[in-house]
Amino acid sequence: MSDIGRMYIDGEWVLSGSGETREVINPADGSILASVTEGTADDVKKAVAAARRAFDKDGWQDTTPHERAALLRAVCTKLERDREPLLKLETLDNGKPLRETGYDVDDTIGCFRYYAGMAEKPTGQTFSVPDPNIQTMVVREPIGVCGQIVPWNYPLLMAAWKLAPALAAGNTVVFKPSELTPLSAIRLFEIFEEVGFPKGVVNLVLGAGATVGHEIAANHGVDKVAFTGGTKTGRSIMQAATGNLKGISLELGGKSPNIVFADADLESAVDYALFAIFCNQGQVCSAGSRLLLEESIQDAFLARLVERANKIRVGPGSSPASEMGPLISESHLNRVLAYVEIGRQEGATLLCGGNRLTEGELGKGWFMRPTIFTDTTPDMRIVKEEVFGPFLVVQTFRTEAEAIEMANDTEYGLAGGVFTPDGAKAMRVIRKLRAGITWINTYNPTFNEAPWGGYKQSGIGRELGTFGYEEYTEVKQINLNLNPGMSGWFEF
Ligand code: NAD
């Protein structure tokens, strides 16, 4: 039993009462990496009770920001110590190439360090109000118990984006990783234990979304739920959260436009178009999955794009030569391949890829060729729906106005990019884009300092930056009477 991955609840490493386990699969070869305990709604209830006690009674909310910052900095030190084994573990579990998991671990460390710093910075307001006897102040306080649910595409980094600001602000947490990629979260919680977070402050529950995830969203002991994942799941979490009207943050899907004008430098725009969609096998919420090309450059651009897409080295993430790894699971690969069939049936033209890779060892994993469709129309499912794989659709436009209209013709609003050396044009287009994360003459860079989140059905709220910190605080006004005495409201 000892080699079964456990949950961390109330300061103990525990197996679920369910007695069930789940196998964690290496997507590069289908092998079993580990078995982990399968949590249940009961385990969530225990974790919430522990988190409540730690917040309400055991004094976590009264710790100083400096004490919490010291713990978060200690986490950074341990993550730095464990960088190499951690990034290798993440690659085995998620599939992405080592150079990407290297960035993920470094960004994770940066995120904990950033919020450790923010905890210690002055906040709050004092101001005069129309009554000269009153001094008004505004303070930020932790919300309480925060439930946090993340997906499999950036397992460790998504954990950091949620846990670091919540803990820095003085909340206690019940955290659930994706059931497909729980291994780096287990390591992170081992580090939390090592640096000495008090019992009940940080709780890790493993298991399925429909059981464990649902209970986190529905449980009345949870004051706020923060979720990253698919838009459909986000909707059901929002519904489950209505019972106690808990706070809610949702980071959801996208179908983001990457707009290239004819005056853009072709080589660099091609390069970024590839990076925008094929990084992390296209399993990125903000991926530039719709390439909007000015019609006059279509032929030259696509010829170069396809030439380079075909040269991307697809292979196991653990091989340093690999530039693109496997998709996360067989069922996800089949879902992406089904979209290839849908694209064909809809009458789009497949320019490259569209198939699973089965040569040699690759046949054991869930590998797919970079795939590009052109001759699309805005009503096609492959243009409207998030595929979440190495799957690019090309749309063409003639004017700036048409580019803006086409870019915004989506129920999502997460991200978008524009390529042109004309600064004024770039700014005009970006200001019209209904999306929360945008880039000019680049795509993908993300910083702990800047807010992350979407318009429309891409989510509610923001992570990262000061915005992400504030999402884990309540705001309180305090009115202080400078001349204590009678109110004078009643005569007798
Ligand atoms: P998913 O919605 O299937 O699962 C995400 C998490 O939610 C998992 O931990 C899962 O177990 C849990 N879950 C599933 N059903 C649940 C339910 N009914 N109640 C509570 N929890 C539940 O998403 P996924 O397939 O893991 O990830 C891919 C999706 O995540 C894509 O749509 C992608 O765009 C999105 N995503 C968004 C961002 C962002 O910042 N906006 C970042 C990464 C991924």
Side-chain angles (χ1 to χ4, degrees):
M1 291 291 275
S2 61
D3 57 350
I4 295 173
R6 294 173 180 234
M7 305 184 285
Y8 190 66
I9 298 177
D10 204 7
E12 306 286 338
W13 288 98
V14 296
L15 296 172
S16 170
S18 74
E20 288 177 17
T21 55
R22 178 187 290 268
E23 289 172 346
V24 182
I25 306 295
N26 179 346
D29 62 11
S31 64
I32 299 169
L33 284 173
S35 279
V36 297
T37 192
E38 178 74 3
T40 62
D42 272 348
D43 296 310
V44 175
K45 287 175 187 154
K46 287 179 196 154
V48 171
R52 275 256 67 94
R53 194 202 63 240
F55 186 80
D56 295 330
K57 301 200 176 115
D58 291 355
W60 176 251
Q61 63 170 308
D62 300 321
T63 50
T64 65
H66 306 81
E67 288 170 309
R68 299 194 297 270
L71 281 170
L72 295 180
R73 289 199 182 97
V75 170
C76 295
T77 305
K78 305 291 178 197
L79 285 168
E80 278 162 350
R81 176 198 66 191
D82 295 349
R83 182 181 184 276
E84 289 303 310
L86 201 47
L87 71 88
K88 284 180 184 152
L89 181 70
E90 190 83 321
T91 281
L92 289 176
D93 199 359
N94 166 278
K96 69 176 79 177
L98 289 169
R99 69 171 172 178
E100 289 190 35
T101 48
Y103 282 118
D104 290 358
V105 176
D106 292 343
D107 283 353
T108 297
I109 296 167
C111 186
F112 278 105
R113 185 162 288 127
Y114 175 76
Y115 282 113
M118 186 164 294
E120 295 169 324
K121 300 295 178 289
T123 57
Q125 301 175 341
T126 60
F127 46 84
S128 300
V129 288
D131 184 339
N133 290 320
I134 298 290
Q135 172 69 58
T136 298
M137 291 163 268
V138 176
V139 295
R140 287 194 174 271
E141 296 180 345
I143 298 173
V145 174
C146 295
Q148 304 183 314
I149 303 169
V150 301
W152 43 259
N153 62 338
Y154 289 87
L156 184 65
L157 189 59
M158 292 298 102
W161 285 18
K162 297 240 174 322
L163 291 160
L167 293 169
N171 300 280
T172 57
V173 295
V174 176
F175 177 82
K176 185 190 113 51
S178 166
E179 55 274 38
L180 298 178
T181 52
L183 300 184
S184 56
I186 294 175
R187 277 298 300 129
L188 180 62
F189 275 72
E190 284 169 358
I191 287 174
F192 286 165
E193 182 187 37
E194 198 182 342
V195 304
F197 274 95
K199 272 165 76 86
V201 170
V202 287
N203 299 276
L204 170 71
V205 186
L206 306 176
T211 49
V212 171
H214 176 79
E215 181 61 29
I216 291 173
N219 193 294
H220 288 202
V222 175
D223 299 304
K224 178 200 168 102
V225 61
F227 168 74
T228 297
T231 294
K232 198 165 150 237
T233 314
R235 212 169 274 129
S236 84
I237 285 182
M238 204 167 169
Q239 277 160 356
T242 56
N244 66 333
L245 293 176
K246 58 172 65 66
I248 188 161
S249 303
L250 302 174
E251 301 292 341
L252 308 176
K255 190 77 176 177
S256 299
N258 180 19
I259 306 165
V260 182
F261 284 96
D263 53 5
D265 176 72
L266 187 131
E267 277 302 316
S268 139
V270 165
D271 191 55
Y272 274 107
L274 294 166
F275 183 42
I277 183 60
F278 298 127
C279 164
N280 201 17
Q281 298 76 248
Q283 301 167 142
V284 182
C285 51
S286 53
S289 52
R290 288 187 296 138
L291 176 63
L292 274 55
L293 282 184
E294 191 161 347
E295 203 178 68
S296 59
I297 56 164
Q298 166 175 211
D299 292 345
F301 197 98
L302 290 180
R304 186 72 178 127
L305 189 74
V306 169
E307 185 193 348
R308 286 201 54 195
N310 282 331
K311 287 185 184 155
I312 291 175
R313 292 191 300 268
V314 183
S318 55
S319 158
S322 299
E323 294 176 313
M324 224 178 85
L327 300 197
I328 188 67
S329 66
E330 186 168 25
S331 67
H332 187 57
L333 171 67
N334 288 335
R335 183 179 172 274
V336 177
L337 290 172
Y339 272 102
V340 174
E341 205 37 52
I342 291 167
R344 283 203 179 98
Q345 282 167 13
E346 288 179 316
T349 305
L350 181 64
L351 282 182
C352 64
N355 59 304
R356 179 176 178 177
L357 285 165
T358 51
E359 301 98 63
E361 292 292 300
L362 295 188
K364 292 186 190 163
W366 328 128
F367 295 92
M368 181 176 172
R369 273 239 153 272
T371 297
I372 304 176
F373 272 100
T374 189
D375 298 324
T376 64
T377 54
D379 58 323
M380 288 180 178
R381 284 184 61 193
I382 60 166
V383 174
K384 293 173 105 63
E385 296 174 16
E386 183 183 47
V387 178
F388 218 59
F391 189 105
L392 178 68
V393 294
V394 182
Q395 302 177 268
T396 53
F397 64 88
R398 290 199 181 131
T399 63
E400 184 180 320
E402 199 187 349
I404 292 165
E405 192 185 335
M406 202 174 259
N408 287 331
D409 183 16
T410 166
E411 66 192 25
Y412 294 111
L414 190 58
V418 59
F419 284 80
T420 171
D422 180 339
K425 180 163 66 176
M427 202 62 191
R428 280 196 305 272
V429 171
I430 285 296
R431 290 302 308 269
K432 286 286 176 199
L433 201 62
R434 303 291 298 159
I437 307 151
T438 65
W439 294 285
I440 296 173
N441 294 325
T442 182
Y443 206 100
N444 278 341
T446 305
F447 303 98
N448 289 315
E449 292 78 4
W452 183 271
Y455 289 20
K456 300 198 268 183
Q457 292 190 39
S458 287
I460 297 175
R462 293 290 180 273
E463 295 196 287
L464 299 182
T466 53
F467 300 84
Y469 187 77
E470 288 172 2
E471 297 265 345
Y472 285 103
T473 63
E474 292 280 16
V475 176
K476 177 181 283 175
Q477 59 162 300
I478 302 172
N479 296 291
L480 172 70
N481 189 348
L482 299 172
N483 285 299
M486 305 295 279
S487 76
W489 187 259
F490 298 109
E491 196 174 347
F492 303 107

